[in-house]
Amino acid sequence: MSRARILILNAALGPLDYRVPVGMTVEPGSIVVAPLGPRQLLGVAWEADRMPSDAEVGDNRLRNLLAVADAPPIRAPLRRLVEWTADYYLAAPASVLRMTLASTSALEGARTAIEYRATGVVPPRLTPQREQALERIADRQGIVRELATIADVSDAVIRGLVKSGAIEAVEVDIDSPYPVPDPDHHQPVLSADQQAAADVLVDGVRDHVFKPTLLDGVTGSGKTEVYFEAVAQAIRDGRQTIVLLPEIALTEPFLKRFHDRFGCEPVAWHSGLRSTQRRRAWRAIASGEALVTVGARSALFLPYANLGLIVVDEAHETSFKQEDGVHYHARDVAVMRGLFEECPVILASATPAIETRQQVATGRYAELKLPGRFGVAEMPTIEPIDLIQEPPERGRWLAPRLVKALEANLEKREQSLLFLNRRGYAPLTLCRTCGHRFQCPNCTAWMVEHRLTRRLACHHCGHIEPTPRVCPECKGEDTLVACGPGVERIADEVAALFPAAKTAVVTSDTIWSPAKAAEFVGRMEAGDIDIVVGTQLVTKGYHFPNLTLVGVVDADLGLDGGDLRAAERTFQQIRQVSGRAGRGEKPGHVFIQTHSPKAQVMQALITGDADAFYAAETEARRDAGAPPFGRYAAIIVSSEDQGCAHDIAKLVGRSAPEVDGMHVYGPAPAPLAMLRGRHRYRLLVHAKRALDVQDVIREWLGKLDWPSKARVTVDVDPYNFL
C-alpha cells in the first residue's frame, strides 16, 4: 500500500497522510484532491521527512486520495521556498502554499469559458444600480462575479442586464498560447556604463548560478534597458524570467517598454486579472511556455518550470512588504528563491534600502553602478523653500516661488508635477462650532474627505459615508471645516491659480488599474496634461521627457510618526519624485517645500550627497542595534472584545522568555488602537542579529492558549509600526 504526506490548503491543520489508490501516481510536488470530512480540498504531496505531521494514524485509518490535478508537480526548489518562507515569517505552510496554487481553475484541463461584456444597448428599465454597473464596466470583460465586483453591485444586477441585452455572453479560449518574446527584436544603443553593466548581468544569466546583484543607478540612468539585456539572454537560453514591480499602476507602462524591446508583451500577473486570465497565465508559467512574467509580489510564488532570472525593480519600495496574511518581504524572498533555483537575482533601484547596501558592504551581493543619466539628460537642480521664511498666502498651500515657477513652466508649454503623499481633499474634517471631529467607527483614524466622490473615507478599513451637510453633534449648518491639504485640495488651488491649465489628479483612487495607468500615460505623452498633482504613485517608473518641474508640497510629511525608517523613506520618496524632472533634453528643476531645510535628510536631497546621508543613517542603525544590525519582530494581539485583547496581550507579555541578546517591549496599545473593528495591542521584540528569534517566538507562543475570538499575529522584520 502506498502512503502520501499531503499539505492541504487549510492553515488550521498541519500535513495529513492519505492512501494512494492503485493506479494513481503521486510523487512529491503532485497537486492532489484530498477528502477532509465531507469536503474535498486541494493539497500538494510533500516529503514526509521535511513536513512532519502531528496527526499520523495507522494505515487502516487512511482515506484514499480522490484525484491528481491535470498540472505539473510543484518543483523541489519552490517547495523549499514554501518551507523557508513559512519558517522565517512564522506562517502556516498552507498559507504560503495557497499563493502558489493561486488559480484553482488552472488545475482543470484545457477548456473554454463564458465571459460577459457590455453591448452598448441601454435597457428599457435603467435603474441607478444598472446605470452605475454599465458606467463602471465600460469595455471590461469577465465572469458575472467579477463584473459585479467591478461595478459594486450584486450578481443579480449583472444577470438582469444580461437578460435585457445590455450585456452579452462571449466564449473565451482560455488556454491560447502566448507570443514568444524576440530577444533581438530591437537592439538598443547603450552607453558605455550601461553596456559594461549589461555584460556582467548577461554573463550571470549564462552561468546559471545564484548571484544577487544590486543595480544602483540614478533616476533616468536606463536601469530597465540594462536588465532587459539579461532578460534577453534568459530568453535565448529558453529559461524563464520574473520581473517584480511594486505597484499595479506601473505594469502598463512597463508592458509598453517591454513590447518595444521584445516585440510582444510579457505575461502579466497582478490582482487586476480576470479569473480566466489568471488561469491562462498560471498554466503557461507552470508548463514553461511563459518565458517572461511581470507582476506584483505574488508572482514570486508561481510554479515556474525553468527559472533563469529574477528582477526586482524599484527594490527599495516598502510596498514589497506584505502587510496581511503571510507577512513576507518580496525583495528578501526573491533572493531566497534565486538561491533555491540557482539563478541570478537583480535588485534595481535608484535609492537602495540600507539593508541592501549592507549586503553589498559585506560582500554578499555584487554591485553595479550607473552614475549618470542616459544621453543628454542631466539630473535636475533642487531648491528648498523654507515655509517659515516664504509661507504660502493665507488659505493656500503653494509658496509664491513655486507658483511663479509653475506659471513660467506653463508659458514654456512644459509639464509640471506637484507631489503630496496624501489622498483625498483633507485629512480631517471638524465642526468650527463644537469641535466635533469625524472619526471612523471601525478604526482609531480620522475620516478623510474626498470631494471628487463626495464622501468621507477611512483609508485603513475602507469605510465610507456621504459627506454630511450638518454637524452630527451640534446640528449646525455650514460649520464643517476641512483641515489640512490632500491632493484634491492642491488640485483645486491649481485650478484657481491657473484656470486654463489642464490638471490631472493621480492617486490610487484615480489610477486603480493598468488600463487607467495607460490612459494617464497616453494623455501625458500627448501633451493633454499640463500639471499633475499626485501621491507616491507618480514617484517611480514613469518617463515623461516634457516634465521639467517638480514641486514637493510638504516634504516633512513622511518624517512624522517615529518610524525607524522615516528619514530613509522620505529621502527615497523625494529623490524618486525629483527624478521625474528633466528626463529628456530639457533641464529639470525641483522645489522642496519644508519647515526644516537644515535637517539632515533635506540637506542630503538639496546637495545630492546621498552617500553622506546613508552613512549617517547606517551608523545610527548600528548604534541602536536596529536592522540590518539587529532583528525586530512585532507581536500584535487583536480582538473585537477590548478586554480580551488586553488580557491576552498581558499574558503574552508576562510569558516572554528571558533570552540573552533579546528584549521585549510592551504590550502597549497600538498607535492604530482599533482597526476594522478590532482592538489592538503590540509587543516589539528586539534581538541581536545572530539570535534565531523565530525559534524563540515559536516556542514562546506555542506554550500559550487563547480564545478563538483573540488573534495573535507575528510580523518578522516589520515595516509598519502602526
Side-chain angles (χ1 to χ4, degrees):
M1 183 195 71
S2 181
R3 180 181 184 122
R5 177 68 47 82
I6 307 297
L7 180 59
I8 59 174
L9 295 187
N10 185 326
L13 297 173
L16 300 174
D17 288 348
Y18 287 88
R19 179 185 293 111
V20 180
V22 176
M24 180 184 291
T25 301
V26 175
E27 59 181 298
S30 294
I31 304 170
V32 300
V33 180
L36 185 67
R39 296 176 295 161
Q40 297 181 4
L41 296 181
L42 283 173
V44 173
W46 222 272
E47 300 93 331
D49 59 333
R50 302 194 67 95
M51 194 66 68
S53 174
D54 295 331
E56 290 197 43
V57 297
D59 293 348
N60 61 325
R61 296 179 58 192
L62 295 179
R63 299 183 67 181
N64 282 351
L65 290 173
L66 301 177
V68 178
D70 178 24
I74 303 300
R75 297 172 56 248
L78 182 51
R79 298 201 302 277
R80 302 295 81 82
L81 184 74
V82 169
E83 294 166 3
W84 180 87
T85 304
D87 179 71
Y88 186 87
Y89 292 104
L90 297 174
S95 298
V96 183
L97 182 62
R98 188 175 294 278
M99 295 188 286
T100 294
L101 305 181
S103 174
T104 54
S105 65
L107 304 179
E108 304 167 12
R111 60 182 178 85
T112 59
I114 300 298
E115 293 186 337
Y116 296 86
R117 65 186 179 196
T119 62
V121 174
V122 179
R125 192 170 67 87
L126 190 62
T127 64
Q129 281 192 311
R130 287 185 169 190
E131 185 177 11
Q132 174 179 310
L134 292 175
E135 179 184 347
R136 295 191 181 184
I137 290 169
D139 57 354
R140 298 188 190 187
Q141 184 172 308
I143 61 176
V144 169
R145 176 70 262 162
E146 290 167 339
L147 294 185
T149 301
I150 290 168
D152 194 20
V153 297
S154 67
D155 292 6
V157 173
I158 303 299
R159 292 193 181 96
L161 287 169
V162 172
K163 289 181 180 178
S164 71
I167 291 178
E168 65 179 356
V170 289
E171 189 174 33
V172 180
D173 181 3
I174 55 179
D175 283 334
S176 56
Y178 286 97
V180 178
D182 178 4
D184 302 311
H185 174 74
H186 172 69
Q187 288 285 359
V189 178
L190 302 181
S191 69
D193 286 340
Q194 286 179 315
Q195 190 63 60
D199 290 344
V200 173
L201 296 178
V202 167
D203 288 343
V205 173
R206 283 201 191 103
D207 293 342
H208 296 177
V209 295
F210 170 62
K211 183 181 180 182
T213 301
L214 169 62
L215 180 58
D216 182 358
V218 299
T219 53
S221 60
K223 294 183 291 296
T224 304
E225 285 69 24
V226 170
Y227 72 65
F228 270 175
E229 295 307 295
V231 174
Q233 185 59 46
I235 295 170
R236 294 187 186 100
D237 293 347
R239 290 162 69 88
Q240 293 171 293
T241 297
I242 316 170
V243 181
L244 297 182
L245 300 177
E247 301 276 359
I248 185 175
L250 296 180
T251 307
E252 200 68 21
F254 180 90
L255 297 182
K256 182 177 183 299
R257 294 177 74 175
F258 188 94
H259 187 281
D260 292 343
R261 172 64 178 86
F262 296 102
C264 68
E265 291 189 352
V267 175
W269 184 271
H270 51 74
S271 59
L273 295 180
R274 309 193 305 268
S275 64
T276 50
Q277 292 173 317
R278 294 174 76 84
R279 172 201 157 90
R280 181 187 177 205
W282 195 97
R283 290 187 70 87
I285 288 166
S287 69
E289 172 205 330
L291 288 180
V292 183
T293 302
V294 56
R297 55 181 177 251
S298 58
L300 189 57
F301 288 93
L302 296 176
Y304 300 91
N306 186 19
L307 196 55
L309 175 65
I310 301 172
V311 179
V312 184
D313 206 349
E314 308 289 355
H316 64 279
E317 272 294 317
T318 56
S319 53
F320 278 125
K321 178 67 191 278
Q322 174 82 16
E323 296 293 355
D324 52 20
V326 181
H327 291 251
Y328 70 94
H329 198 302
R331 178 196 65 214
D332 301 334
V333 177
V335 173
M336 293 306 299
R337 178 139 203 194
L339 174 65
F340 293 129
E341 298 278 359
E342 298 182 353
C343 74
V345 180
I346 300 171
L347 307 178
S349 176
T351 53
I354 288 176
E355 288 84 350
T356 304
R357 289 172 176 269
Q358 184 61 20
Q359 295 283 34
V360 171
T362 58
R364 294 187 181 93
Y365 294 0
E367 182 181 32
L368 297 171
K369 280 185 172 289
L370 298 175
R373 284 191 157 179
F374 179 76
V376 298
E378 296 183 356
M379 295 298 290
T381 59
I382 299 179
E383 285 185 44
I385 297 178
D386 187 340
L387 291 175
I388 296 176
Q389 300 297 325
E390 303 178 69
E393 294 180 11
R394 185 175 177 81
R396 297 199 183 279
W397 307 96
L398 304 179
R401 188 151 40 116
L402 179 53
V403 172
K404 287 181 181 178
L406 289 167
E407 186 175 8
N409 232 38
L410 286 169
E411 290 175 358
K412 291 187 292 184
R413 305 183 68 83
E414 295 175 7
Q415 294 168 316
S416 304
L417 165 63
L418 295 175
F419 168 71
L420 176 64
N421 200 30
R422 184 183 276 154
R423 293 159 49 206
Y425 183 84
L428 171 65
T429 301
L430 57 76
C431 175
R432 66 161 64 93
T433 301
C434 70
H436 175 79
R437 300 184 178 196
F438 288 84
Q439 184 171 320
C440 174
N442 307 314
C443 309
T444 47
W446 307 124
M447 298 288 283
V448 178
E449 181 181 359
H450 287 251
R451 287 204 177 169
L452 292 178
T453 53
R454 299 176 184 174
R455 67 184 186 183
L456 298 176
C458 174
H459 290 174
H460 297 283
C461 72
H463 174 79
I464 59 173
E465 54 189 59
T467 303
R469 293 185 177 181
V470 300
C471 173
E473 191 81 19
C474 68
K475 309 303 179 186
E477 296 187 19
D478 299 324
T479 63
L480 301 181
V481 181
C483 300
V487 287
E488 292 177 14
R489 193 167 198 168
I490 301 301
D492 277 3
E493 183 173 337
V494 169
L497 290 167
F498 312 109
K502 292 173 284 188
T503 305
V505 176
V506 178
T507 73
S508 56
D509 298 313
T510 59
I511 307 292
W512 65 79
S513 69
K516 282 291 184 181
E519 179 186 333
F520 163 64
V521 171
R523 290 184 62 199
M524 284 292 288
E525 292 177 343
D528 191 38
I529 299 173
D530 298 315
I531 300 175
V532 178
V533 184
T535 60
Q536 63 178 353
L537 210 59
V538 293
T539 62
K540 49 197 173 282
Y542 293 111
H543 177 79
F544 303 125
N546 199 40
L547 199 161
T548 57
L549 175 66
V550 168
V552 180
V553 176
D554 186 354
D556 308 319
L557 183 61
L559 296 174
D560 297 333
D563 186 348
L564 158 75
R565 299 178 177 85
E568 182 189 14
R569 286 181 181 177
T570 297
F571 180 84
Q572 290 170 335
Q573 206 167 67
I574 297 178
R575 183 80 172 249
Q576 289 283 341
V577 75
S578 298
R580 298 314 105 197
R583 296 173 70 93
E585 296 180 358
K586 301 173 183 177
H589 203 80
V590 179
F591 288 95
I592 300 177
Q593 294 191 164
T594 174
H595 290 89
S596 308
K598 299 298 183 184
Q600 184 186 54
V601 62
M602 299 305 164
Q603 284 298 303
L605 288 163
I606 295 161
T607 63
D609 193 352
D611 290 340
F613 169 76
Y614 276 112
E617 281 290 301
T618 301
E619 199 55 36
R621 299 265 192 99
R622 192 191 308 273
D623 291 343
F629 306 102
R631 307 284 306 279
Y632 282 144
I635 301 176
I636 303 99
V637 180
S638 67
S639 174
E640 293 180 358
D641 181 339
Q642 185 174 10
C644 175
H646 177 269
D647 292 344
I648 299 303
K650 286 290 188 183
L651 171 65
V652 173
R654 285 195 307 270
S655 307
E658 292 188 9
V659 177
D660 186 38
M662 187 183 91
H663 298 279
V664 179
Y665 303 100
L672 199 59
M674 189 166 73
L675 178 65
R676 301 184 183 94
R678 299 183 69 87
H679 298 274
R680 305 167 71 242
Y681 290 82
R682 288 177 63 98
L683 299 94
L684 183 65
V685 178
H686 182 199
K688 290 181 177 179
R689 190 74 199 170
L691 180 67
D692 190 344
V693 73
Q694 286 91 342
D695 274 354
V696 173
I697 295 175
R698 193 180 289 111
E699 184 178 356
W700 167 15
L701 298 183
K703 296 177 179 178
L704 304 180
D705 290 315
W706 50 81
S708 58
K709 63 181 179 179
R711 185 183 304 154
V712 179
T713 304
V714 181
D715 184 1
V716 177
D717 301 339
Y719 271 63
N720 185 338
F721 290 85
L722 294 178

